[in-house]
Amino acid sequence: MNETALLSTHASVSLSFNPFLEYLKKRLHSERTVKTEYYRHIIERFTENPSWRTGLPVDDLEAYKELFEIVYFVLTPLAADEKETMWGLSTPVPGTLFYSTESLSKFLSDNNTIKEPTGIASDHCSVSKDMQFMYGLVLERFYNISSLAKKDTVYSYTNSITKLSKFHKVHVDTQFVDIRVNGALPDLDYDVLATYLHDGTSSESLICRLKKMLPLDNFIFEGFTVITLTDVTVQHSLDKIRNVMVHHSYNNDQYLEIAQALKTIAGNEHTQFRLVPIIGVNGKSTFASNEECIQSILMNALHDSGVTEEALTIFIEKYQRNPRILVYNAISSEEKTDDGFLRILKKTPVESYALLPVYYHSELTGVLEIYSEREVLFDERLFSKVQTAIPLIAQLLKFTRDEFQSQLSNVIRDKFTSLQPAVQWRFNEVAWHYLQRNYTDLSNPEIEEIRFENVYPLYGAIDVRNSTTERNRAIHEDIKSQLTLLEETLFALRSVDRDHAEPDGTMNEECTRWKDQIDGYFTSRDEIALNNFLETEVHPYLLEVKDAYPEAQAIVARYFKAIDEREGAAFKNRSELETSLQLINTKLNQYFDVAQKMLQAEYPFYFEKFRTDGIEYDLYIGQSIAPEKRFETAHLKRLRQWQLQSMAEIARLTQRLLPKMPRHLHTTQLIFVHARPIDITFRNDERRFDVEGAYNIRYEVIKKRIDKVLIKDTRERLTQPGKIAIVYFNQQEAQEYIDYIRELQQQGLLDDSLEYLELEELQGVNRLKALRVGVKYH
């Protein structure tokens, strides 16, 4: 046991053992076991020492060591080991221990967990932890209000040996604290207190209020408190894992947070944990390839070993048939040659490794990896610690599998079908009606038409400027490169096949003729003729020479490698162009995917993208798409405003991509304003929505013709890089967008170069006008 000096406390607080003595007297009358003799003996000892019943002096507690030993004896189990029990006695208002077990004394010395209370400034009112504690007891004892009476506090610290976080709960037992009132007990205004207790007001503000209503000078605190510390590290770590599950946050950061929690439970800083869900695709099992699995030693080792997806599936299915715990405590020392898994692990920096199967309702949902780059003993002791978290991990892996299946369905629905959440309710309704009729009508009834009336269309197009010209240039450059390489190849083969090189001496001449033609006017028909010449004459000859002369193999192989579409030099320019186009399209798709999620939350709408060299889209919104939710004009205006803003952001986005493009491509941005609502119908044959009615079809015609429209009486295209073009019919439509433009100009997205333009007449379409405004790139 250890004693520490008792610091001076509040004037109304005194250290006394009278409450403890009264407790013993009550137990003596109620107890019916052999314990009564112990209680009687202790009460006699108090009688023999009258000073024990008075307030103890704060300057000489060493003389009362026997008393403290008695209290410890009575209040702790006989079988408790003092070296493991963190227990102590403190003043009525805890803050200074004057008696403690060796384990608690050493713990506090090593970690300095419990500190002296400090004042907290709140609303110009000094509030200390002592004050909060005392008011909590007063309200609980005299007014039956327990909101402030917090008796458990969790402290965290870093273990000096393992460098891992530890958590201990400090419990304050106040049953041996008596409170007396000087004079009459003050009345409290419960209506005022309720305001502080139930509206989320901080406890400091409540204490400041209580200082005026209930002065502490009216109360005397007498007795002592019992302090008990309990290691709750495991429970705290389990709560952290449970919190991740409750919030359904299964991204990489959360998986790493769970891994850290498992590490804390294990208590070894050199041990690492990783979770790897097993998912199913088309009835075949595989490991999830999401971010959390990138950290997996197993996944990385299999990937680095060149294991194919088919081999990985076989490996997983074999493990599923016989799931077991795999343990390798000293990988570098293992000499098994028939263990393929061990051979893979030997290629990693890991020295100790364990693989634990994780089940959810008897179904294998994934595996738990435990590994270390040091030699660590993975045994039953470690596994029993981790076992406390296995039920939560199993649920988490099950949730991950379900989330994967949901994501798979969403991708299929979003990328490969026209069915979107905003309109799925109608498809469900029609399908249900169809099934109902099928039950009673065996003549294969027709399925209902899916139609949405009076929806407002929004059309936008992001196009790559001069993409056709760029593509033709890339093709010509690649073909010229191929013909130059072919000339070099034919020349090199002369020294190999002197008898048959260039039959009739025409191949080299043909190459020269084609190169000259490419520099001039080269049509698609010419490209077909050139490919026919290469496929029917040149390539058969090269293969024949390669088979006949071993020394020709390297020469011919070099040529065929160059014309390989995936990585050949003869496709370099086309590959660079496609890479640049793909980069633009990928970023645009990502942009619209994120924007959709945000906007759909405000009001459901149907959104359909079409990939060209850039992206075109149709967006439809109206009451018929969401009958259960009131449609207002504000919803339409919000989308139109977003449409303009998105074009400015996309122009900036594609401009920032230029340094990453092998071939620099610029985009143009076009919006077509159609103020009147239209009707759309789902066409079962094409699996897409289409417009209905003569007037509505006119909307489709205009969309298809304005992408290359010219400004009236000029040869200038309306759409230009760095600008947004807005095509409209009447001034009312234009004014709405002019207001949006002014707002974006103030925000610094658009510049001041707003143009009012008239457009050339198109076939069947006249009186078209346009607004055009520049985008600020910086």
Side-chain angles (χ1 to χ4, degrees):
M1 293 295 180
N2 286 290
E3 301 81 26
T4 61
L6 174 64
L7 298 179
S8 59
T9 58
H10 196 277
S12 61
V13 177
S14 64
L15 179 60
S16 169
F17 283 81
N18 276 330
F20 176 68
L21 182 59
E22 294 303 317
Y23 164 81
L24 293 179
K25 291 178 179 180
K26 290 180 182 178
R27 292 297 302 268
L28 182 62
H29 290 93
S30 62
E31 191 68 46
R32 296 290 181 270
T33 68
V34 71
K35 290 182 180 180
T36 57
E37 295 302 321
Y38 292 109
Y39 295 151
R40 185 175 291 110
H41 173 71
I42 295 171
I43 293 172
E44 290 174 357
R45 296 287 290 126
F46 269 89
T47 305
E48 294 171 0
N49 295 276
S51 62
W52 289 6
R53 303 188 61 178
T54 60
L56 301 185
V58 297
D59 56 350
D60 185 18
L61 293 177
E62 181 64 28
Y64 300 94
K65 182 176 180 180
E66 181 183 354
L67 173 57
F68 304 151
E69 294 283 356
I70 290 174
V71 176
Y72 175 73
F73 174 77
V74 172
L75 298 182
T76 59
L78 285 175
D81 186 347
E82 183 187 330
K83 294 181 179 179
E84 296 181 359
T85 303
M86 289 192 283
W87 185 96
L89 299 176
S90 183
T91 49
V93 178
T96 301
L97 288 173
F98 55 84
Y99 182 83
S100 67
T101 59
E102 290 182 8
S103 59
L104 177 55
S105 178
K106 184 177 187 306
F107 177 83
L108 296 179
S109 175
D110 292 344
N111 300 290
N112 194 26
T113 303
I114 298 181
K115 301 178 181 180
E116 286 297 313
T118 56
I120 302 173
S122 176
D123 300 329
H124 309 291
C125 169
S126 178
V127 176
S128 69
K129 292 184 179 179
D130 286 356
M131 200 175 296
Q132 292 187 39
F133 180 83
M134 287 188 284
Y135 273 118
L137 276 185
V138 168
L139 291 178
E140 183 181 48
R141 297 280 180 90
F142 296 105
Y143 300 96
N144 199 28
I145 297 174
S146 58
S147 301
L148 286 179
K150 294 175 62 178
K151 297 175 182 177
D152 289 340
T153 305
V154 176
Y155 287 88
S156 66
Y157 67 98
T158 301
N159 187 287
S160 58
I161 299 175
T162 65
K163 308 302 181 186
L164 296 174
S165 295
K166 296 282 287 182
F167 300 88
H168 277 76
K169 180 177 69 176
V170 180
H171 175 71
V172 180
D173 187 348
T174 60
Q175 67 173 314
F176 304 112
V177 177
D178 281 349
I179 308 175
R180 300 196 307 273
V181 184
N182 283 326
L185 185 68
D187 292 329
L188 290 183
D189 189 336
Y190 285 93
D191 292 335
V192 174
L193 280 183
T195 302
Y196 285 91
L197 291 170
H198 301 300
D199 68 353
T201 305
S202 67
S203 59
E204 288 82 12
S205 299
L206 174 58
I207 297 299
C208 290
R209 183 69 178 178
L210 287 171
K211 287 174 68 175
K212 300 176 181 178
M213 301 170 62
L214 198 65
L216 285 176
D217 293 343
N218 294 343
F219 300 94
I220 298 174
F221 294 78
E222 181 184 43
F224 63 86
T225 53
V226 180
I227 308 296
T228 308
L229 265 68
T230 307
D231 188 339
V232 293
T233 301
V234 172
Q235 186 58 47
H236 189 276
S237 299
L238 293 177
D239 289 342
K240 182 179 290 187
I241 297 173
R242 192 176 288 107
N243 186 59
V244 172
M245 295 171 55
V246 168
H247 291 88
H248 287 216
S249 301
Y250 311 137
N251 58 40
N252 189 40
D253 290 340
Q254 273 68 36
Y255 265 81
L256 294 179
E257 188 175 343
I258 291 173
Q260 184 62 35
L262 291 171
K263 187 175 180 179
T264 301
I265 292 174
N268 188 324
E269 75 272 26
H270 303 301
T271 303
Q272 306 292 337
F273 293 82
R274 290 294 181 266
L275 304 177
V276 187
I278 294 178
I279 59 174
V281 180
N282 295 332
K284 297 180 179 180
S285 297
T286 186
F287 288 125
S289 57
N290 41 10
E291 290 184 8
E292 56 269 12
C293 293
I294 294 175
Q295 305 293 333
S296 165
I297 289 295
L298 174 65
M299 291 290 288
N300 287 332
L302 291 171
H303 180 269
D304 294 342
S305 299
V307 174
T308 64
E309 186 172 344
E310 291 76 15
L312 179 61
T313 298
I314 294 172
F315 166 80
I316 296 172
E317 291 177 346
K318 181 179 178 181
Y319 185 79
Q320 283 181 306
R321 289 192 294 271
N322 182 27
R324 64 194 189 283
I325 297 177
L326 301 176
V327 180
Y328 303 91
N329 281 322
I331 293 176
S332 61
S333 303
E334 293 278 0
E335 296 182 356
K336 296 179 182 178
T337 57
D338 59 340
D339 191 334
F341 194 66
L342 177 61
R343 290 198 301 271
I344 292 175
L345 288 175
K346 279 182 173 289
K347 299 176 182 179
T348 71
V350 171
E351 179 60 24
S352 301
Y353 184 90
L355 186 70
L356 279 65
V358 180
Y359 299 90
Y360 182 82
H361 291 176
S362 302
E363 179 187 7
L364 185 68
T365 57
V367 294
L368 172 64
E369 288 183 306
I370 311 175
Y371 66 91
S372 176
E373 294 186 6
R374 300 187 180 189
E375 187 172 331
V376 177
L377 180 61
F378 292 157
D379 56 9
E380 289 300 325
R381 183 180 178 185
L382 172 64
F383 297 154
S384 64
K385 289 182 179 180
V386 175
Q387 190 63 38
T388 58
I390 290 299
L392 294 176
I393 293 173
Q395 283 186 297
L396 182 63
L397 293 176
K398 175 65 166 57
F399 290 159
T400 303
R401 292 182 63 176
D402 294 345
E403 183 73 11
F404 168 78
Q405 293 299 330
S406 176
Q407 290 175 352
L408 204 65
S409 299
N410 288 340
V411 169
I412 293 171
R413 183 174 59 200
D414 182 47
K415 304 299 181 183
F416 302 107
T417 74
S418 296
L419 191 57
Q420 295 180 16
V423 296
Q424 185 171 355
W425 66 271
R426 180 59 181 147
F427 286 83
N428 293 340
E429 193 176 75
V430 168
W432 172 233
H433 293 165
Y434 177 77
L435 291 175
Q436 285 179 310
R437 288 196 301 274
N438 256 347
Y439 296 148
T440 55
D441 185 354
L442 301 181
S443 61
N444 194 20
E446 292 290 327
I447 197 165
E448 294 176 50
E449 180 183 70
I450 295 179
R451 179 186 180 90
F452 295 100
E453 298 180 345
N454 293 321
V455 293
Y456 290 90
L458 283 80
Y459 171 78
I462 300 95
D463 192 28
V464 174
R465 172 48 52 98
N466 297 328
S467 58
T468 301
T469 303
E470 290 290 337
R471 184 171 279 106
N472 289 336
R473 182 183 296 117
I475 292 172
H476 293 177
E477 291 172 351
D478 283 342
I479 291 176
K480 195 170 183 178
S481 173
Q482 180 178 353
L483 291 173
T484 299
L485 179 60
L486 178 58
E487 285 181 325
E488 296 172 356
T489 301
L490 293 174
F491 181 81
L493 289 177
R494 290 179 182 176
S495 60
V496 176
D497 183 19
R498 297 183 179 277
D499 297 330
H500 304 91
E502 298 185 59
D504 302 326
T506 59
M507 280 191 191
N508 200 58
E509 295 177 4
E510 278 288 288
C511 286
T512 302
R513 185 180 69 81
W514 278 114
K515 284 179 66 177
D516 293 340
Q517 188 162 342
I518 289 174
D519 289 335
Y521 182 69
F522 190 77
T523 65
S524 58
R525 181 175 296 180
D526 293 330
E527 185 177 354
I528 294 173
L530 172 59
N531 287 331
N532 184 65
F533 163 66
L534 294 173
E535 294 294 334
T536 60
E537 297 184 37
V538 175
H539 293 170
Y541 163 72
L542 295 179
L543 293 174
E544 181 182 345
V545 174
K546 176 185 175 184
D547 292 338
Y549 303 97
E551 57 269 37
Q553 291 181 359
I555 300 173
V556 176
R558 174 173 171 266
Y559 170 80
F560 279 108
K561 181 180 180 181
I563 65 171
D564 181 84
E565 290 190 18
R566 292 171 297 179
E567 55 185 18
F571 283 85
K572 176 177 178 294
N573 293 284
R574 278 170 286 186
S575 177
E576 289 179 347
L577 177 63
E578 290 304 319
T579 298
S580 299
L581 289 171
Q582 184 64 37
L583 180 60
I584 291 175
N585 273 276
T586 298
K587 293 300 182 181
L588 292 182
N589 278 311
Q590 291 174 351
Y591 178 90
F592 284 119
D593 288 345
V594 172
Q596 262 205 92
K597 291 178 181 178
M598 176 189 68
L599 295 168
Q600 292 277 8
E602 298 180 18
Y603 194 91
F605 56 85
Y606 182 79
F607 185 85
E608 188 172 19
K609 299 192 301 282
F610 307 93
R611 178 174 176 177
T612 56
D613 282 331
I615 280 183
E616 296 179 31
Y617 67 80
D618 282 312
L619 190 156
Y620 303 104
I621 186 171
Q623 188 66 72
S624 61
I625 288 181
E628 303 298 325
K629 189 171 183 178
R630 180 178 175 82
F631 175 74
E632 298 177 354
T633 306
H635 295 126
L636 176 61
K637 290 184 175 181
R638 170 73 178 96
L639 279 183
R640 286 175 173 170
Q641 186 177 29
W642 165 81
Q643 185 182 33
L644 179 62
Q645 180 175 332
S646 69
M647 288 299 186
E649 292 173 348
I650 285 170
R652 284 183 163 193
L653 172 64
T654 56
Q655 180 72 13
R656 290 197 300 271
L657 292 177
L658 287 176
K660 301 178 182 180
M661 295 184 196
R663 294 177 80 94
H664 286 186
L665 302 175
H666 298 271
T667 61
T668 63
Q669 291 70 223
L670 174 66
I671 293 172
F672 174 44
V673 184
H674 188 84
R676 294 180 58 180
I678 63 175
D679 300 338
I680 57 173
T681 304
F682 188 78
R683 297 187 57 172
N684 293 334
D685 54 345
E686 297 183 6
R687 296 293 191 267
R688 60 181 295 270
F689 280 98
D690 205 353
V691 297
E692 288 290 325
Y695 181 82
N696 297 340
I697 292 175
R698 184 168 180 261
Y699 163 76
E700 285 289 326
V701 170
I702 296 173
K703 280 194 329 182
K704 289 178 170 58
R705 294 181 181 175
I706 60 174
D707 62 327
K708 294 181 174 60
V709 67
L710 302 179
I711 297 174
K712 189 174 183 179
D713 299 329
T714 73
R715 300 303 301 166
E716 179 185 351
R717 289 264 294 271
L718 169 64
T719 56
Q720 295 292 333
K723 293 181 180 293
I724 301 172
I726 305 167
V727 177
Y728 65 95
F729 274 104
N730 61 65
Q731 187 57 35
Q732 183 178 357
E733 298 169 354
Q735 187 57 51
E736 181 179 343
Y737 277 86
I738 290 172
D739 293 339
Y740 301 148
I741 289 171
R742 299 300 185 205
E743 292 180 22
L744 295 182
Q745 286 173 334
Q746 292 177 2
Q747 296 175 23
L749 282 174
L750 302 178
D751 61 27
D752 296 330
S753 60
L754 177 58
E755 303 173 86
Y756 300 82
L757 305 171
E758 292 190 11
L759 305 181
E760 67 175 353
E761 290 191 6
L762 302 175
Q763 183 179 357
V765 182
N766 53 33
R767 301 195 315 277
L768 277 178
K769 300 178 182 180
L771 301 172
R772 190 167 68 180
V773 64
V775 176
K776 276 190 176 181
Y777 285 133
H778 304 290

